[in-house]
Amino acid sequence: MGLRDNTPQVFAFTNARIVASPARVYTNATLVIRNGVIESIGPGVEIPADAWVTDLKGKTIYPGFIDAYSSMGIPTAKEIAENEKQLGKHWNPQVRSHYSSAQNWKYDEKAAAALRSQGFVAAHVIPETGVFTGQGSVVKLSEDLPARQIIKSDFTQGLSFRWSRELGRGYPTSVMGSIALMRQSFHDATWYTRAHAQWQSAPATIARPEFNPSLEVISMAMKNREPFIIHAADEEWIFRANHLAREFDLHLWIAGSGHEYKRVKDIKALNIPLIIPIAFPEKPDVSKPEIAINLSLEELRHWAMAPSNPAVLEENGLSFGISTHGLNRKSDFLKNIRTAIKQGLSPAQALASLTTVPASMLGIDHLYGTLEQGKSACFIVAAGDIFEENNAIEQVWVQGKKHTVEKKAPIAGHWKIESGRLPGSTLKLEQKGNRFEGSIIMETDSISRKVNDVKWENNRLSLTIEKDSLSDGMRLSASLFGDKINGFGETSSGELFTWQAVREETEATEPSERNNKEDKKAIPNFAPLYPAMEYGISGPVEQPAVVLVRNATIWTQGPEGILENADLLIERGVIRAVGTDLNVPAGAIIIDGAGKQVTPGLIDPHLHTSIAGGVNEMGDAITSETRISDVIEANNVWIYRLLAGGLTTANLFHGSANPIGGQSAVMKLRWGANADELIYEHAVPGLKFALGENVKRSSNRYPDTRMGTEQ
């Protein structure tokens, strides 16, 4: 079998600044690791005789980051739908609580390297397919035997308001249907637990209940208080998730959206663990009037405020983890964190949100999150303060294994040559691993020519341009000075010259390499609006104690008919008197109604506005289990517009796609309130029934005739 290599892996890192935790920093300190575990740390640490010693003077060591919410290495919805049979698991393929991330996760070195380049050493990976998406696990971001890559297996449960079409176009087809499926599954899991307990204690009393892997996992997760984690697409979805969690006493986590600042005080009151993304919206295109006019105030405010979201959460005393979820380019992560710090997030909170907070949430803080004796040797070596510009991550160690972060050479990009033998020409340089490729488009003929022998060594560029029938060959060398190149050249005939080029801003230039002046602008911190959109108000309007409307034409809609020059007295929102020459209570707000008409607020008995995620649940003909109250949308400008038309109350109905639809909800149009405050709590419950043409339009579903609908 050969000799077994069992050489101790002992490394000592000396003379470093070590940020052991957000609250503990050592200067001129030493870190010693042995066989993937921290052996000692601090100033004056004795260096073992068998250690490989690295002098890190001028460098900073940080605990490795933990991505609290990721889908890295999890099969896609399409792959899951193609490869897995649902038979015997659950009647609805959207219920996938049995799905094990630990058994199905596949290490992806390219994806892991992208995360490591931003400082991550571990990730909480969770499936995103289905309504019950499956179990989440913590994995390490380093190549190893599969059995050694799982840090903690299958201990969270994923939920989603959005169903996955890849699993079939059955039930549900709406968000209210997804919530109803969750609710039914939690009820089923509760029944499942009780039925099995009854059969175990007294088997003669009931028939043996079936074994169902999906319900088994849900029931155990509820019993053991395992986290149920759900992605909330905006701040309103957090409150919908909280309703469900309260109903079934779930241990809820929220994977946020970056919109939390809009209702931060209400979110704080929920006391739910938060994981937020650092994915900011792109700059809106306002280049042309016809494009700019289509941008809403809500979009513009969010573009301006999104980088401040972490700071707003911190300012309001919320603790939160941070994830890369939602980032199209993982390479933007550190840049965005630094932007968030410019907008008020403290570096200490940023570090905690990437280390101690997720380690504690995920139950791995005995191994990860801080640099302490006995913990896993997972750390970052950076050129300086990691949250300051230009301090690159140089190494990431994962459980004692070194990973060198490939540096993007600053010479890569597009350069406009301003002087020399080729003024006006564009030089393009691209880095591919450790190699460089290039081309030059000469202004004289606009032809692109390949450049050869491109090298970037010791901060100096060199390359050659081959001679052809239209141009002389030459070789160039230069040094980089910020966004300028200055250097020398020589033609094939031996003529020497100087040349200069400046960097061009292009789509080909990596965002992290741009001199992005916009990042350095102070983004305005707008006053809160409720909702944070057109016509939003600054806060709840205080209800006056007494209001008196005088000398108005009052339409009583009762036996008294229309009263001319009459008064209306209101106390704390309730009409107390209608008549003439009413006494004016002390402190009353008086409204002169002369020439004005006063009527009762209008009521719409059948309205479909302000319903999020679909008005119809079309996955079945009878969907009376769905509830409009689950999906009322407070961030809907039509509430304001309908108020402007005199509407004060509306009955929100399920659509007409089914013979029996969902449960209706009566809404008071309280502009600026949250969804809970919109519901009129004293209304009589209702249920939508429908006849006619809409019901029979669903193909391949009974009923498809009017007589079938009636039956």
Side-chain angles (χ1 to χ4, degrees):
M1 293 178 66
L3 296 175
R4 181 166 179 264
D5 184 2
N6 197 29
T7 305
Q9 298 293 302
V10 188
F11 302 91
F13 305 89
T14 63
N15 300 319
R17 174 177 174 263
I18 301 179
V19 182
S21 73
R24 190 169 69 255
V25 180
Y26 302 119
T27 57
N28 196 28
T30 297
L31 172 68
V32 177
I33 66 173
R34 183 182 295 272
N35 296 331
V37 177
I38 297 174
E39 184 173 276
S40 55
I41 182 172
V45 167
E46 184 176 346
I47 299 173
D50 57 348
W52 294 85
V53 180
T54 302
D55 186 351
L56 291 182
K57 186 175 183 180
K59 311 293 184 184
T60 303
I61 299 176
Y62 290 89
F65 298 162
I66 302 165
D67 193 336
Y69 187 80
S70 172
S71 59
M72 191 274 286
I74 299 291
T76 64
K78 184 178 180 180
E79 291 169 338
I80 288 172
E82 289 174 351
N83 298 329
E84 186 184 279
K85 301 296 183 184
Q86 178 75 11
L87 296 176
K89 304 276 173 63
H90 193 274
W91 67 268
N92 192 304
Q94 301 289 341
V95 180
R96 307 180 40 75
S97 47
H98 58 276
Y99 187 80
S100 165
S101 59
Q103 293 179 18
N104 291 281
W105 182 72
K106 294 181 180 179
Y107 179 75
D108 182 337
E109 171 56 25
K110 183 177 180 181
L115 288 173
R116 285 197 307 266
S117 73
Q118 303 300 297
F120 290 95
V121 298
H124 172 225
V125 295
I126 192 162
E128 294 185 296
T129 302
V131 173
F132 284 79
T133 66
Q135 303 167 85
S137 301
V138 179
V139 300
K140 72 174 187 177
L141 301 176
S142 180
E143 198 160 8
D144 203 340
L145 295 174
R148 291 206 292 247
Q149 286 180 315
I150 304 296
I151 298 168
K152 189 175 180 180
S153 65
D154 295 338
F155 70 103
T156 58
Q157 267 291 327
L159 296 173
S160 175
F161 289 117
R162 297 288 181 182
W163 65 101
S164 296
R165 292 183 180 274
E166 295 85 353
L167 300 177
R169 290 177 174 266
Y171 180 93
T173 64
S174 67
V175 172
M176 69 176 119
S178 296
I179 296 174
L181 180 59
M182 290 183 207
R183 183 176 283 116
Q184 185 62 56
S185 298
F186 287 128
H187 280 306
D188 289 348
T190 302
W191 168 87
Y192 181 89
T193 300
R194 292 174 179 169
H196 276 269
Q198 175 70 14
W199 186 83
Q200 291 288 344
S201 62
T205 60
I206 61 170
R208 180 171 184 170
E210 67 176 38
F211 172 75
N212 185 292
S214 299
L215 296 181
E216 177 82 14
V217 171
I218 294 172
S219 64
M220 292 304 295
M222 294 172 73
K223 177 182 176 181
N224 297 331
R225 303 288 297 163
E226 293 177 3
F228 284 84
I229 182 168
I230 191 165
H231 177 239
D234 63 31
E235 75 284 3
E236 288 199 273
W237 292 104
I238 296 176
F239 304 107
R240 296 178 185 124
N242 181 62
H243 283 183
L244 202 65
R246 287 206 318 260
E247 187 175 346
F248 294 98
D249 191 28
L250 305 179
H251 181 196
L252 180 67
W253 291 2
I254 294 292
S257 61
H259 293 257
E260 292 74 25
Y261 65 90
K262 296 177 180 178
R263 293 277 183 183
V264 64
K265 296 188 185 302
D266 292 339
I267 292 171
K268 181 181 180 181
L270 302 180
N271 195 29
I272 296 174
L274 276 177
I275 300 166
I276 64 166
I278 302 293
F280 306 144
E282 297 288 335
K283 179 183 177 181
D285 183 2
V286 292
S287 58
K288 299 176 182 177
E290 61 270 26
I291 297 174
I293 198 171
N294 291 317
L295 287 168
S296 68
L297 176 63
E298 183 178 13
E299 291 174 287
L300 292 171
R301 280 180 62 93
H302 184 58
W303 165 72
M305 290 294 295
S308 301
N309 185 57
V312 172
L313 296 179
E314 180 186 9
E315 182 182 349
N316 283 272
L318 280 82
S319 176
F320 50 89
I322 285 176
S323 82
T324 62
H325 190 261
L327 277 174
N328 294 325
R329 295 181 297 260
K330 302 303 182 189
S331 58
D332 283 347
F333 181 80
L334 271 179
K335 182 192 75 169
N336 286 4
I337 280 285
R338 290 162 178 166
T339 299
I341 288 172
K342 291 175 186 175
Q343 298 305 311
L345 177 66
S346 72
Q349 179 64 61
L351 182 59
S353 296
L354 290 165
T355 55
T356 55
V357 172
S360 177
M361 289 177 67
L362 299 168
I364 58 172
D365 49 341
H366 61 296
L367 293 174
Y368 293 84
T370 61
L371 300 178
E372 301 176 50
Q373 185 179 13
K375 288 195 171 184
S376 184
C378 294
F379 57 92
I380 302 162
V381 178
D385 187 329
I386 201 170
F387 298 124
E388 291 185 0
E389 301 289 346
N390 302 320
N391 285 333
I393 293 174
E394 298 179 353
Q395 300 172 19
V396 175
W397 288 69
V398 182
Q399 206 168 316
K401 183 177 180 180
K402 176 183 176 182
H403 298 270
T404 301
V405 177
E406 181 183 290
K407 295 180 181 179
K408 194 75 173 179
I411 201 69
H414 292 192
W415 301 87
K416 196 73 170 180
I417 298 176
E418 293 187 324
S419 63
R421 295 294 300 270
L422 301 168
S425 301
T426 300
L427 176 64
K428 300 180 180 180
L429 300 173
E430 183 180 2
Q431 182 176 357
K432 294 187 175 181
N434 295 321
R435 298 183 303 104
F436 287 88
E437 294 181 357
S439 63
I440 188 167
I441 300 176
M442 295 187 182
E443 188 181 47
T444 53
D445 53 26
S446 300
I447 295 174
S448 177
R449 295 172 173 82
K450 183 180 179 182
V451 298
N452 300 318
D453 304 320
V454 183
K455 292 183 175 60
W456 173 253
E457 296 173 338
N458 300 319
N459 292 318
R460 192 158 179 83
L461 170 70
S462 62
L463 57 91
T464 60
I465 302 172
E466 296 297 323
K467 182 177 180 179
D468 59 28
S469 59
L470 297 176
S471 65
D472 288 335
M474 60 189 69
R475 55 185 181 182
L476 304 174
S477 65
S479 296
L480 178 66
F481 300 91
D483 281 343
K484 290 187 177 181
I485 292 174
N486 291 322
F488 298 93
E490 181 182 12
T491 66
S492 56
S493 60
E495 180 185 351
L496 299 176
F497 60 89
T498 60
W499 67 289
Q500 184 181 70
V502 295
R503 187 188 295 276
E504 284 188 323
E505 285 290 345
T506 69
E507 289 300 318
T509 306
E510 282 291 322
S512 58
E513 298 299 321
R514 297 175 185 162
N515 181 21
N516 194 336
K517 296 180 181 178
E518 289 182 9
D519 284 348
K520 298 177 183 178
K521 289 182 179 178
I523 298 178
N525 188 14
F526 297 114
L529 288 181
Y530 303 95
M533 58 189 300
E534 294 79 357
Y535 310 111
I537 59 178
S538 59
V541 178
E542 185 177 351
Q543 187 184 73
V546 183
V547 176
L548 180 68
V549 181
R550 307 214 70 165
N551 300 319
T553 300
I554 298 179
W555 298 59
T556 67
Q557 298 302 100
E560 293 153 317
I562 301 174
L563 304 178
E564 301 290 347
N565 300 317
D567 303 339
L568 176 70
L569 179 64
I570 303 168
E571 292 184 0
R572 302 192 180 280
V574 177
I575 297 173
R576 295 302 182 191
V578 179
T580 56
D581 298 322
L582 296 181
N583 292 329
V584 182
I589 294 176
I590 299 176
I591 298 174
D592 183 4
K596 296 180 172 62
Q597 311 281 320
V598 178
T599 77
L602 303 184
I603 302 170
D604 192 326
H606 187 159
L607 193 65
H608 294 306
T609 195
S610 301
I611 299 173
V615 171
N616 286 289
E617 173 47 62
M618 301 175 65
D620 209 341
I622 298 176
T623 57
S624 50
E625 72 280 2
T626 61
R627 304 176 186 176
I628 296 297
S629 59
D630 285 335
V631 288
I632 289 179
E633 184 180 15
N635 293 353
N636 189 317
V637 72
W638 275 102
I639 296 175
Y640 180 88
R641 291 170 177 163
L642 291 168
L643 274 171
L647 195 70
T648 62
T649 309
N651 189 24
L652 302 186
F653 262 151
H654 185 284
S656 303
N658 305 335
I660 302 177
Q663 301 165 47
S664 58
V666 176
M667 176 177 73
K668 296 287 282 187
L669 278 66
R670 299 169 172 129
W671 181 241
N674 61 39
D676 287 348
E677 295 164 335
L678 293 179
I679 295 175
Y680 181 52
E681 56 277 7
H682 303 299
V684 175
L687 185 63
K688 176 66 179 286
F689 283 59
L691 296 167
E693 288 298 296
N694 285 352
V695 185
K696 68 186 191 68
R697 285 177 179 153
S698 296
S699 59
N700 301 318
R701 191 194 78 178
Y702 174 86
D704 59 5
T705 65
R706 286 194 173 207
M707 59 184 169
T709 301
E710 183 181 0
Q711 291 303 309

